[in-house]
Amino acid sequence: MSYTLQTPQKPLPGAYIQTPAANRLQPFQSRQSTSVSQQQNGLQQQSQALSQQGQPAQKTGQKPEIQDIPPIERAAKTVNEALSEESRYPDLDSYIGRESPEQSTEFELTAFAEGISSEYEVTTQPAWAPFQKTKMHPIPDRIFEQYNRAQVSTIMGLFADFNHAWVAIDNALYLWDYTHPNPDLVSFEEQSHTITAVRLVKPRAGVFVPSVIRLLVVATTADIIIIGLSAQPASHGGQSVALYSLRMSAPVKGLDVNVIEGSDSTGRIFFSGRGSDDVYEFTYQQEEKWFQNRCTKVNHTSKGYSTFTPATFFSQKSQQETVVQMVMDDTRRLLYTLSSKSTIRTFHVKGNGALDLVITKPLGQTLSNVGHMTSQSDLISPSMAIVSISAITAQEATKIHLMASTSTGCRIFMSATSSYGYYSSSSNAPTSMQVQHVKFPPTDNTNSQQAQSSNSTQMTSYSSTSAINTSSRALVPTRTAVRYAPGYFLAFVVRDSQAGTDLLFVSGPDSARIARPQDQQRLTRYAELALWLNLGSRAEDIGLATEAFSASSSPEGFGNELAVQFDKPTSEIAVLTNTGVHMLRRRRLVDIFAAALRLGGGEEGLEGEVKKFIRHYGPGETASTALAVACGQAFDVASDSRLARILDPDVLEHARKAFIEYGGKPLFNENSMLDQSKPAIDLVQPSPRHRGLSRYISRLVRSIWKAPIIHEIVTASGGLMIASSASMLKLKEISQDLTKLKEFLNANRSFIEGLAGPEALGNVKTKQDEVCLQAEHRALHALVVLIDNIIEGLAFVLVLYDEKIEEIVLSLANETRQQVRNLSYEGLCTTPLGKLLAKDLVKAIVNRSILSGSNVETVAEALRRRCGSFCSAEDVVIFKAQEYVKKASEAGADSDVSRDYLNESVRLFKQVTGSLSMEQLHWVVENYVSLQFYAGSIQLCLDKARESDRGNRALTWIQEGRPPGDKRLEAFEFRRRCYDLVHQVIQAVERSRTQSPDMVDGHLTLAGRRREEAADEIDSSDDEVFQTDLYDWYLQEDRSDRLLEVESRYVITYLERRSSDDIAHADLLWKYYLQKERHQDAAMVQLALSKSQFVLSLDQRINYLGNAKTNASTTRPGIARSARTEVLREVSDLLDVANIQSDLLQRLKGETRITADRRPQVIEELNGAILPLTVLFNTYCEPAFYFDLCILIYEAADHRVASDIKATWQNLLEGVHTQAEVTNDGPQPYEMVAETVRTLGNRLGLSETMFPVSDLLPMLKGYAFNYQRNIGPETWVVDIFTDLQVPYETIYGILEGMFYNDEPPFQGRNRRLIGNDIVYITRAWFQDSIRGSGTIFGGEDNAIAVSDMLHTVMQSGLDERRLEECQNLRMRIENMLR
């Protein structure tokens, strides 16, 4: 393959096609192929590139994701892009200017450096004519009758915007409607002076009554008079006018006024006469004031005596310069005048009533400016004259301000400039005027008259490379000329001065070619279509019969005739001659194409016409135009001079074929094929056919697309009036055009590539073809969907305005009303919000029908037929159910008929639960509650909640701990809104209890039965999410007692789930278990609470453990003993630890060894979670020398190391003794020791390991001997153990061992101390044993041993009292043994 490189590029890996670089000078333009064959060749050349694009994706294993854009959103984006493209139509400055190449940049649209052009396509083919004569309205015979009576002068003119012409014959003025076949004359004959000039201007606001919409300014030889004019629509379609005498005039005798101009924005009136070049103003006001009449004239140019002195014969100078034309530019507040010497003057119209001359542009300066643009030309010379000027408004151009037409047919475009650049502000005056561009006449034909022959098919065409002709005399001499926006140029050429007739040269911009030039590399050129017309008479006046053209309010896009060809009336121009009024109609591109198809001349000729269109305007514009013709958008002048729609079957068929066969094919974008982030389908550029369809749709809807559907107006009385931003007629026209388009696409679906369906895939040959076809289908299908949506949206708006829209809008909620106020047609037809708001409006319409008693089903069914997407079958069911609710309300809450209506309504509502909005649900619940239909309210709310979350995502969210930010939260929130309505129903039920009892005389009342039905609905619901929300609500309302009464399996699930997060729920859980006598489960919950991370004090945890121990100890059938024992053991162990920690906490609160800073921290650590024993021992007890607590920790930890235990006891005794000695005013040391041992013994339960009596008794005896000798009772040590109920035999055995062991300090005489204790404990044992019926000391052997021991003790040196006691005790034992 070989390709011509237009722009050098770096080689792209894997790309074999090199394309020219994008034209940066024309950002508005879209790249289009010049022929269909080139597009088809491009498709074949791209197949290899597409296959290469897929290879990297297969190697990496990554498949780009296709953007899932809804069709309606894709189509809306396409239409917006088409509208945006059309809004970027080049402004006039971009192709008319004089900037040099050095001043321009490649990113800015500029004009040709030469500042001149002569490009026309002058056609003699009727089909391609840019204008056409539609009709000639003859001058009425009554005017000729008056004309024949003329004595002095006759002048004629047009009021084309009112379809009226006028003639001034001597002192009389006659007006007639030239569109009427037999018009009445409206005359003004109340003055006697000869009329010299007539002008129709707009009045200044506030001076006259509103019915006076224009002022008829009549200048005579003596006065200038203003007459009021009103207009009313006439029965034949035109307008009828009436004149009102205002009695306002000012003397102008001697001025010979011939030029009058008015300002539309300010109402000021300027005039001048043949006697001088002065500019006067006619001022008027409502009433006379001091030193100021109602009317007067002011000279704004000449000063001094001449201002008050009329010109006379003796004062006139030869060749006096006079004003021949005035033109007002209200957008810039500039008044231009043209003098008889071709001098252009510019006046600045100030707001204070002043008029300042700011620029004087003599003909010589103009010629000098033009001389810098072109070489010597006979057309631009001192011998020429400027015959007319035309203002170019700021809305149309920024830099170009004025166009001057010369007698040689040249058009000179000028700019008013100031010191800082181009003049654009109306507050500051310009200082100079420069020529920016000169448009020379078209090429001169040898016989312009022959060009009028309809049989001629020759055309003088232009191209981007044609030379500029600066010597053509085709328009010489031009008698007068005029320009209308956006560039219509009409020049009246006098070929034969003796014949007294004019040839009319008419041209207009070739909008399609200006918008999309053939050569993308060159700047936009001033292309025009033109034709010659032979009027057969002399032109007297010319006027624009339609509203001035404007496609936008700014220069960019202003002149885009293509964009408004289906949206605005076609421009019409009236030309008044001495034979009648000739009407010229601007032909749209669609009209030209239809005429070319009709007059093309056979199949071969038709193909040539279509290809010519493609060459000139591109395939996209051709497709759009062909589609418009096929849908009946083209018009032409019929044989009876009537404008008729072209519905010729042959023309429509040719247009259909052109759209289908020349619509082009989608193209794959090779420049983006290496971008692996996009799927292949997104790299396909849809076909020109798609582009044409999108343009056609955008042009149909452009006037309403961004407009709001309603426009609120506050009336003078403060009321609300709502008006449509578009007329109902306009909406119907758009709807009809879109319906025709829809029908066309449906009828030709099988022939249109991209709409043909799956069978079209059978024709594809490569993977690229398949991808392109898929992309084309996606794009076209989106537009088809959009067409349906717009049709329905317009139908809905029409229905809306058929109703009392003010009442409907006022019935909406404030937020919804604001959204509706901001809703545009685009939003209505393409956004989900628009669909929702439309449904709200439909509901408001139906609700209004319900209130008015209308048949709701009929209204709803009519809505569904006209705009089904806004009023579906489900909506009809809802409206029917609402009607039943209303009937039930009318029947009364207690009647059986009302109950039947309610049951039927809830049945219908359940059928369409998913379609019910929250507002509708609120309405239903409110009405159901008022009718005491509580059960139905609850059913409907629960059904709505379940329907909104069929996947039960809310339940899984709850079960997973309600993670924040989860997407499922949205589902739960919606369900909760439904449950809130149930809560309202429950509250209503509770309120009703105070109004009527449940039972009367032992019978259930009607109100009670309804409340019972509501309770059954709640309790029997299997919606776990609802039950969960209900329990939450109970607790929110501080009704935990109600929760404990609920008999539902979901209560425990709910409380268990929430217990991990909230202690209140955990408390409710064990209380619920206790209420259901499930003590073991309650103990488990309480145990878990004691070990939880909740913020609980230690006392609270101990309390939970105490209750848990009680509950775990309670027996109940069905609970295994082993399980109960296990729980009880765990609770008991933990309770022991908690008690130790509690003792430690209390002790540390009063501990003086802790610093003030450390104390709060210690208390906080201990007064909370139950700590491990290791922490308690190592961190607190052992360092603090709390040995008693250490012993308790040994017990709890089952620490059985005897040496550790004994050493700890020893340390404990020493510590207690030391503490007692420090406290002098307290108990004796032995008393504190005794109490400590006694307390620990009780807490340890006389554990053999932790409370080793065999170690403690000798230890205490040693302590008493060493530290407390002769202090306190001598038997206080033994009393400790007897108080603890240590068995006598145990104590006796230990003492016996101590006595015989002879260990220090109980040796020698000190043994008697042990002997005393033996005697004491033996006596106690003896007395205890004889109380029962058994033997003493448990047996005879024990008794003998005890007796022997007492005998030995008596020999140990007891004192007399103990000795006597011992002897008596032994004797008693011996006696018992006998």
Side-chain angles (χ1 to χ4, degrees), residues 401-425:
H401 301 90
L402 187 71
M403 187 198 81
S405 300
T406 70
S407 58
T408 57
C410 296
R411 281 176 278 170
I412 303 175
F413 294 89
M414 300 181 177
S415 294
T417 60
S418 59
S419 58
Y420 52 84
Y422 290 100
Y423 172 72
S424 59
S425 173

Side-chain angles (χ1 to χ4, degrees), residues 420-435:
Y420 52 84
Y422 290 100
Y423 172 72
S424 59
S425 173
S426 60
S427 58
N428 300 317
T431 57
S432 65
M433 180 172 286
Q434 299 294 325
V435 174

Side-chain angles (χ1 to χ4, degrees), residues 374 380 526 578 910 1260:
T374 180
I380 304 295
Y526 190 6
N578 51 16
K910 285 184 175 182
L1260 287 170

Side-chain angles (χ1 to χ4, degrees), residues 469-484:
N469 187 346
T470 61
S471 59
S472 172
R473 303 184 62 82
L475 300 182
V476 177
T478 296
R479 183 171 62 85
T480 187
V482 67
R483 179 191 185 276
Y484 297 112

Side-chain angles (χ1 to χ4, degrees), residues 426 460 531 701 971 1023 1121 1154:
S426 60
T460 304
L531 81 158
V701 302
D1023 186 349
R1121 181 180 179 86
I1154 304 178

